[in-house]
Amino acid sequence: MKGVYSAPGDYIHFKSQVPLHKIPIGTKQWRYYDFGPKVVPPLICLPGTAGTADVYYKQIMSLSMKGYRVISVDIPCVWNHQEWIQSFEKFLDAIDVHHIHLYGTSLGGFLAQLFAQHRPRRVKSLILSNTFLETSRFSAAMRWAPIVGWAPSFLLKRYILTGIHDGPQEPFIADSVDFVVSQVETLSRDDLASRLAFPVDNASVGPLLLSDSLITIMDTNDYSSIPQELKDQLGERYPAARRAYLKTGGDFPFLSRPDEVNLHLQLHLRRVGVEAKPDLVRTIPKDGSGGSPGKENDEKKDHDDQPNGHGGNPESTSKESQSPPAPESSEYHGLYDQLLSSAKVISIGREDSTLMKDQLILATGVLLQLTWEFFIFSLLPIYVCSLYITENNVWKFRKLV
C-alpha cells in the first residue's frame, strides 16, 4: 500500500498541527501523541494489533478541542504481558502522568484490563471496544506461534490483514480499513511479531478492583474480528458496566463512526468525573505555531506541565507551549468549525485518472508478491528435491564405478 494509498485530508491537517513524540525508555521506543490541556486527567488510547497511535487522530482532534487531554500511543516491541505492564508504567512515569482513563480496542482493550488489574491505583476508568478477556482461543488457532519471532515481515502482515473483514463495505468503513492497512505497512517486522505474540501468550484478565460503574463497553453490532462469544464473556464479567452499542462501524468504529464514538467517550468522561477545560484549549493558527502562554496559566501551573527530565523528542517538545489565554466561547467554536471545515476541503475525492493509476500500481505489487510467494512455497521445495535426487544418483554412479 505504501506509495499508493492517499491519506485523508483531515489526517494530513492533523499531522501538520499535532506533534508526534518519541522517547526512549530503557530498550523501548515509545511513539505517542499528547494533545489537550495538561491539567485534565488524560484519556489514553491503546490500539489493536493492526493499529498505531495515528488511528485515533479523529478522537484527538475532536476531544482536545472540547477541553480534554488525549494521549494516543503505539504499543512498543514487548513480547509478553508482564513486560507490557512494566513498560507501560515506566512510560507513564516518564511523561509524569499518574491517574489515567484507558480506551482500548481489540488487543488494546485486553492490555488496558491487564494494566487495570495489576496497577489498580493508576487506572480510574475503562472504555472497552470489541475486545476480550483471555487469549486461549487465539493461541489454539495460531499453530505456528512458536516461530512467530522468525517469520518474515510479509507473512506477518498477511496474517494480520486476513483477520480484517473482507467483502463489500460502505464507503466510510472501507476508508477506515484502507487507513489501518496503510498503518500496518509502517510497522517493522519486530513490531508485527511482538503484537502477534501477545494473543498466543495464553493469559487472561483476573478480577478488577475497579467498579463496573466506571467501565463502558462500546461494541459494534455488524461485524468485527473478535468473535461474539468473546464479547459476550466480557459483558458477563462486567454486568453493571455502561453499554454503548453502535449499529454499524466494523472493526474500526473510531475511524468509520468518529462522531458516535467521540460522543460516547465524552459522556463516559463526564460520568466518571473528568472536567473538561475548554477555556485552556490551545489555539491552532494556520502557520502551525502554538498559542502563547497567558498570565492565568502562569499563576496556575499543574505538575504535569513541567518539563520532563526523562528526555523526549526535541522537535515535538519545542512545538509545545503553555496553555493560552482563555478564548471566548464563540472563538472556541469558530476554531473547531474552522478545523473541521478546512479538513473537509482537503479531503476531496480522488480524480478518476489517479484511481486508475493507483489500481494499476496496486495490481502490479500484488502480482509481484504472489509470484514471490509461489516461488518460495512451490518452486523452492521442488528445487531442493531435485538437488537431492541428483546428488543421490551421482553417489550411486561413483559407487558402481
Side-chain angles (χ1 to χ4, degrees):
M1 295 294 293
K2 185 176 289 186
V4 177
Y5 175 73
S6 179
D10 56 349
Y11 175 66
I12 297 174
H13 186 73
F14 163 80
K15 292 287 287 183
S16 69
Q17 304 297 336
V18 182
L20 174 64
H21 303 261
K22 297 179 182 179
I23 58 173
I25 303 176
T27 59
K28 312 299 179 186
Q29 176 82 358
W30 282 84
R31 298 173 64 256
Y32 68 101
Y33 295 100
D34 183 356
F35 209 62
K38 295 294 188 292
V39 297
V40 179
L43 172 69
I44 299 185
C45 304
L46 303 178
T49 305
T52 64
D54 298 66
V55 299
Y56 294 111
Y57 78 93
K58 292 180 181 287
Q59 284 64 54
I60 298 174
M61 287 176 61
S62 175
L63 295 178
S64 64
M65 290 295 99
K66 291 178 170 62
Y68 294 99
R69 181 184 180 185
V70 183
I71 300 176
S72 179
V73 303
D74 263 3
I75 298 175
C77 188
V78 291
W79 295 90
N80 57 65
H81 303 97
Q82 290 299 328
E83 188 179 4
W84 152 254
I85 294 168
Q86 296 172 5
S87 181
F88 188 51
E89 185 171 35
K90 291 178 181 178
F91 166 72
L92 296 179
D93 292 338
I95 64 175
D96 202 14
V97 169
H98 307 286
H99 299 140
I100 59 175
H101 303 267
L102 290 176
Y103 167 43
T105 60
S106 188
L107 175 63
F110 177 70
L111 297 179
Q113 294 175 83
L114 282 177
F115 191 77
Q117 174 189 350
H118 293 276
R119 301 294 186 270
R121 294 183 178 180
R122 305 195 78 153
V123 179
K124 297 304 178 183
S125 73
L126 291 173
I127 306 108
L128 307 173
S129 179
N130 292 337
T131 189
F132 47 89
L133 286 171
E134 46 88 20
T135 61
S136 59
R137 181 162 179 168
F138 301 104
S139 57
M142 192 173 178
R143 298 180 179 178
W144 54 287
I147 63 170
V148 68
W150 293 275
S153 178
F154 77 91
L155 280 181
L156 297 173
K157 291 179 181 178
R158 184 176 181 182
Y159 184 82
I160 290 176
L161 296 179
T162 53
I164 301 176
H165 178 79
D166 191 16
Q169 297 169 329
E170 64 173 272
F172 288 116
I173 296 180
D175 290 344
S176 71
V177 172
D178 289 342
F179 185 85
V180 171
V181 170
S182 73
Q183 293 299 305
V184 172
E185 293 294 333
T186 67
L187 297 174
S188 67
R189 192 198 70 84
D190 287 340
D191 288 330
L192 295 167
S194 64
R195 294 184 183 202
L196 288 176
F198 272 119
V200 299
D201 195 23
N202 214 0
S204 60
V205 178
L208 303 185
L209 296 180
L210 195 67
S211 171
D212 287 3
S213 62
L214 300 176
I215 300 175
T216 294
I217 299 176
M218 179 167 47
D219 288 337
T220 53
N221 284 338
D222 48 358
Y223 53 80
S224 74
S225 59
I226 305 302
Q228 186 61 43
E229 177 186 352
L230 298 184
K231 293 199 277 187
D232 291 341
Q233 290 178 0
L234 186 77
E236 294 173 359
R237 172 68 67 87
Y238 312 117
R242 180 68 60 91
R243 302 299 180 93
Y245 293 111
L246 306 180
K247 186 176 181 181
T248 58
D251 285 301
F252 316 111
F254 44 88
L255 289 167
S256 60
R257 297 290 184 270
D259 292 338
E260 296 180 54
V261 171
N262 294 340
L263 176 61
H264 288 304
L265 292 177
Q266 190 174 357
L267 291 174
H268 171 88
L269 293 174
R270 288 179 179 176
R271 185 166 57 85
V272 299
V274 178
E275 183 180 355
K277 301 289 185 182
D279 55 324
L280 298 181
V281 173
R282 187 190 315 148
T283 57
I284 307 178
K286 292 184 179 179
D287 61 2
S289 60
S292 59
K295 296 180 179 179
E296 180 179 350
N297 292 323
D298 289 338
E299 297 173 358
K300 300 180 179 180
K301 290 185 179 179
D302 184 76
H303 182 67
D304 288 341
D305 287 332
Q306 300 298 325
N308 199 326
H310 295 270
N313 187 0
E315 297 179 0
S316 53
T317 304
S318 64
K319 290 184 180 180
E320 287 190 333
S321 60
Q322 300 290 340
S323 301
E328 296 295 331
S329 178
S330 59
E331 293 178 351
Y332 159 69
H333 290 293
L335 170 64
Y336 182 60
D337 293 339
Q338 180 183 358
L339 182 65
L340 292 182
S341 61
S342 61
K344 291 179 181 178
V345 171
I346 300 174
S347 60
I348 300 175
R350 302 178 187 173
E351 297 291 338
D352 293 339
S353 59
T354 306
L355 282 175
M356 294 178 62
K357 181 179 178 181
D358 291 349
Q359 291 174 358
L360 179 61
I361 297 174
L362 178 61
T364 304
V366 172
L367 181 61
L368 290 174
Q369 181 175 350
L370 290 177
T371 303
W372 174 249
E373 292 181 4
F374 175 77
F375 174 77
I376 291 295
F377 296 109
S378 299
L379 298 183
L380 188 58
I382 297 175
Y383 175 69
V384 173
C385 184
S386 65
L387 286 179
Y388 173 76
I389 295 174
T390 303
E391 183 69 22
N392 191 31
N393 290 336
V394 170
W395 181 80
K396 290 181 179 178
F397 176 76
R398 289 178 177 177
K399 187 176 181 180
L400 290 174
V401 173

